[in-house]
């Protein structure tokens, strides 16, 4: 039987880092589901129709520069289209049940994609803390931007992702909340590992 870990939360809360560290610790496979929406968003920016782009997405579409602010904004926009979400559903669910365990990070993993995941985490932090982290990443990557611009972007994306009618970003009822404005990433990772080990021990062998 597969072991699925759902990690949701807003941008720059630390989901990606925690997911990668969990995978390194337990040998699980990682799917960054935001990348799927980014790939569709990037195609839309080049003139493609988003629904068709989602329905015909290929592995090659995940290559390239998908980590910039323009693509992030486009991703958040296409993510509010129900047909786009529907087109990406089967791939995510198939990934979640792969043998050997899987970690999926995104916005709706614990609520819609994998409601039966053995472990659900909702990783968050204040918009200000997240904007400061994202600014550092962007500037280190050579981008020319400033804190106010990044904070406005973070808030706009939070609002759009949390207020859409189809699969809005929200913690599942049984998710464990990890607020990384108060916790370091090391502490959040340690808490996650403790929860995962506890759940693994509780499973029938
Ligand atoms: O995690 P990210 O910043 O790469 O995600 C980019 C956008 O994709 C995000 O603003 C909303 C959307 N998204 C989503 O709607 N559902 C997911 N499971 C993952 C991402």
């Amino acid at each position: 039987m597969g072991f699925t870990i759902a990690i949701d939360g807003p941008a720059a809360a630390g989901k990606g880092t925690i997911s990668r560290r969990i995978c390194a610790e337990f040998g699980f496979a990682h799917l960054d589901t935001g990348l799927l929406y980014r790939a569709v968003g990037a195609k839309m920016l080049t003139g493609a129709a988003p629904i068709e782009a989602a329905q015909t997405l290929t592995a090659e579409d995940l290559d390239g520069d998908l980590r910039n602010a323009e693509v992030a904004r486009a991703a958040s926009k296409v993510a509010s289209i129900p047909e786009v979400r529907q087109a990406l559903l089967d791939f995510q669910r198939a990934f979640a049940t792969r043998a050997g365990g899987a970690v999926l990070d995104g916005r709706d993993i614990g609520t819609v994609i994998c409601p039966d995941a053995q472990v659900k985490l909702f990783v968050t932090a204040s918009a200000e803390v997240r904007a400061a982290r994202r600014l550092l990443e962007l500037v280190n990557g050579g981008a020319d931007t400033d804190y106010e611009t990044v904070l406005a972007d973070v808030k706009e994306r939070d609002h759009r992702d949390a207020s859409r009618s189809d699969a809005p970003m929200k913690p599942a009822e049984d998710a464990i909340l990890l607020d990384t404005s108060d916790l370091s990433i090391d502490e959040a990772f340690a808490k996650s590992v403790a929860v995962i080990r506890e759940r693994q021990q509780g499973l029938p062998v």
Side-chain angles (χ1 to χ4, degrees):
M1 191 184 98
F3 189 88
T4 308
I5 302 178
I7 304 189
D8 291 302
K15 298 187 303 283
T17 307
I18 293 172
S19 299
R20 283 188 294 276
R21 288 185 62 176
I22 290 172
C23 288
E25 177 79 18
F26 293 91
F28 299 148
H30 179 210
L31 179 64
D32 168 1
T33 64
L35 213 54
L36 304 175
Y37 293 92
R38 283 174 185 259
V40 176
K43 288 192 125 186
M44 180 180 77
L45 291 173
T46 64
I51 297 174
E52 200 189 331
Q55 287 168 343
T56 57
L57 207 65
T58 64
E60 289 73 42
D61 294 328
L62 303 180
D63 297 337
D65 179 20
L66 299 176
R67 299 264 171 221
N68 61 62
E70 194 191 6
V71 170
R73 211 170 304 125
S76 175
K77 287 183 183 160
V78 300
S80 68
I81 305 171
E83 291 86 350
V84 166
R85 307 197 70 84
Q86 182 62 37
L88 303 176
L89 192 81
D90 288 348
F91 176 76
Q92 295 175 80
R93 288 211 174 130
F95 191 97
T97 57
R98 57 191 281 153
V103 176
L104 282 79
D105 80 78
R107 303 291 186 288
D108 64 335
I109 309 302
T111 50
V112 174
I113 306 293
C114 306
D116 298 327
Q118 282 81 359
V119 176
K120 295 181 188 177
L121 305 174
F122 193 85
V123 183
T124 186
S126 71
E128 289 73 19
V129 166
R130 290 184 287 117
R133 284 186 196 148
R134 184 46 54 91
L135 177 67
L136 202 67
E137 266 173 35
L138 290 170
V139 169
N140 285 342
D144 177 22
T145 185
D146 58 63
Y147 175 74
E148 292 306 330
T149 306
V150 177
L151 180 62
D153 246 26
V154 160
K155 286 186 173 170
E156 185 198 323
R157 205 136 72 86
D158 283 359
H159 176 71
R160 199 185 296 112
D161 294 345
S163 64
R164 66 177 176 234
S165 52
D166 189 20
M169 167 176 73
K170 65 172 179 202
E173 276 179 17
D174 50 350
I176 292 161
L177 290 185
L178 290 176
D179 189 331
T180 64
S181 0
D182 310 322
L183 289 179
S184 69
I185 293 290
D186 278 345
E187 288 167 328
F189 172 64
K191 269 201 169 193
S192 312
V193 169
V195 173
I196 295 165
R197 292 207 196 287
E198 204 174 280
R199 292 289 154 83
Q200 280 182 320
Q201 278 158 14
L203 284 179
V205 278

